[in-house]
């Protein structure tokens, strides 16, 4: 069945890089997304990648896509305290978005 | 431009009570969605709408109803609240179906507790 999997927590030191991983199941997904949820707020689109791309870079964010392994990752360079949030991976499948459970990014000083 | 606005922010219901969660958007989006978010789980789609007068069930529709009489509003109705409906509810909208690179815009959520 459809399932998007992520680790529930990631802890990094301020200034280090954060890498949040996600595996998905639908090989026909055309878009894969990363959303960010700050405390008490709704989700906001962070970035997305089209399935014919391997990598997408946007300032401190780098998205890597390995279609063979159905693996998606989000790298945040120079992690800051403002990056503390829950990060959700989502894939489109049958015209719906299937969501991971979210990875809570914890920043240590 | 307020985006997606949900009310109330918090609500406590007794078992068997009814309530309506309100959602309105001012971006003239055709597509609107209701999700629930439970701890440690991904968002689950309850209902969605592709335009005024058109609604359809998502993954977990039981116990809920929706209507879409206008483009702006998409209320979610709980008729007989049950403890299993304790959750955080998010309304979202998008310009297109959301699977073609068009982002979903989310409200800030309604935290509902049923006791």
């Amino acid at each position: 069945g459809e399932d998007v999997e992520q680790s529930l927590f990631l802890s990094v030191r301020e200034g280090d890089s954060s890498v949040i991983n996600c595996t998905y199941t639908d090989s026909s997904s055309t878009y894969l997304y990363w959303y960010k949820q700050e405390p008490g707020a709704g989700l906001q689109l962070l970035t997305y990648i089209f399935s014919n791309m391997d990598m997408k870079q946007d300032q401190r964010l780098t998205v890597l896509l390995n279609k063979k392994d159905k693996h998606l990752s989000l790298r945040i360079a120079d992690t800051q305290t403002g990056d503390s949030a829950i990060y959700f991976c989502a894939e489109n499948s049958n015209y719906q978005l299937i969501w991971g459970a979210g990875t809570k990014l914890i920043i240590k000083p | 431009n307020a985006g997606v606005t949900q009310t109330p922010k918090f609500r406590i219901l007794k078992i068997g009570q009814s309530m309506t969660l309100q959602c309105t958007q001012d971006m003239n989006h055709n597509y609107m969605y209701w999700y629930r978010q439970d701890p440690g789980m991904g968002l689950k789609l309850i209902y969605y709408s592709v335009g005024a007068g058109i609604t359809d069930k998502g993954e977990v529709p039981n116990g809920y109803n929706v209507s879409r009489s206008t483009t702006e509003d998409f209320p979610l109705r709980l008729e007989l609240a049950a403890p299993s409906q304790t959750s955080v509810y998010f309304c979202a909208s998008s310009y297109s179906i959301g699977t073609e690179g068009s982002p979903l815009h989310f409200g800030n959520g309604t935290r509902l507790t049923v006791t």
Side-chain angles (χ1 to χ4, degrees):
Chain A
E2 302 153 346
D3 205 5
V4 175
E5 295 190 349
Q6 303 177 239
S7 299
L8 290 183
F9 298 96
L10 175 66
S11 179
V12 298
R13 292 202 179 279
E14 190 175 357
D16 287 352
S17 292
S18 306
V19 180
I20 302 170
N21 294 302
C22 169
T23 57
Y24 62 97
T25 57
D26 188 350
S27 58
S28 65
S29 292
T30 50
Y31 288 89
L32 294 124
Y33 301 84
W34 285 105
Y35 280 77
K36 178 182 180 182
Q37 183 183 30
E38 295 183 354
L43 284 71
Q44 284 189 302
L45 180 69
L46 201 56
T47 187
Y48 66 91
I49 188 167
F50 189 49
S51 59
N52 69 351
M53 298 169 67
D54 298 325
M55 185 180 87
K56 181 179 179 181
Q57 188 147 5
D58 182 4
Q59 299 182 335
R60 291 191 298 122
L61 304 178
T62 303
V63 179
L64 295 178
L65 176 61
N66 181 329
K67 284 194 72 174
K68 175 175 166 291
D69 295 336
K70 299 194 188 76
H71 184 265
L72 182 73
S73 68
L74 173 70
R75 179 176 180 268
I76 305 172
D78 186 26
T79 307
Q80 303 297 309
T81 54
D83 296 322
S84 180
I86 301 175
Y87 293 82
F88 290 88
C89 166
E91 64 166 335
N92 67 314
S93 177
N94 293 326
Y95 301 102
Q96 290 192 18
L97 288 180
I98 308 299
W99 298 83
T103 299
K104 184 168 185 174
L105 181 61
I106 300 163
I107 317 298
K108 296 182 287 189
Chain B
N1 191 335
V4 178
T5 303
Q6 287 183 241
T7 56
K9 286 186 168 47
F10 304 94
R11 184 72 186 267
I12 298 174
L13 282 183
K14 292 191 187 308
I15 294 170
Q17 285 186 320
S18 302
M19 78 162 294
T20 299
L21 282 66
Q22 301 292 344
C23 176
T24 188
Q25 52 94 8
D26 61 0
M27 296 172 284
N28 204 31
H29 285 168
N30 280 324
Y31 297 84
M32 295 188 75
Y33 316 82
W34 273 106
Y35 287 94
R36 59 178 288 171
Q37 182 183 31
D38 298 307
M41 299 180 69
L43 295 174
K44 299 294 184 187
L45 183 64
I46 304 171
Y47 271 94
Y48 67 100
S49 168
V50 301
I54 307 169
T55 63
D56 209 346
K57 295 178 181 178
E59 190 181 350
V60 291
N62 291 344
Y64 306 95
N65 275 302
V66 293
S67 59
R68 185 93 183 271
S69 55
T70 66
T71 300
E72 294 77 22
D73 300 307
F74 190 41
L76 178 72
R77 178 90 179 149
L78 283 71
E79 289 294 348
L80 290 169
S84 61
Q85 293 177 304
T86 294
S87 188
V88 181
Y89 292 84
F90 287 100
C91 178
S93 71
S94 68
Y95 175 72
S96 68
I97 202 166
T99 59
E100 298 168 2
S102 170
L104 269 64
H105 296 260
F106 283 83
N108 285 336
T110 296
R111 185 175 295 273
L112 176 67
T113 303
V114 182
T115 61

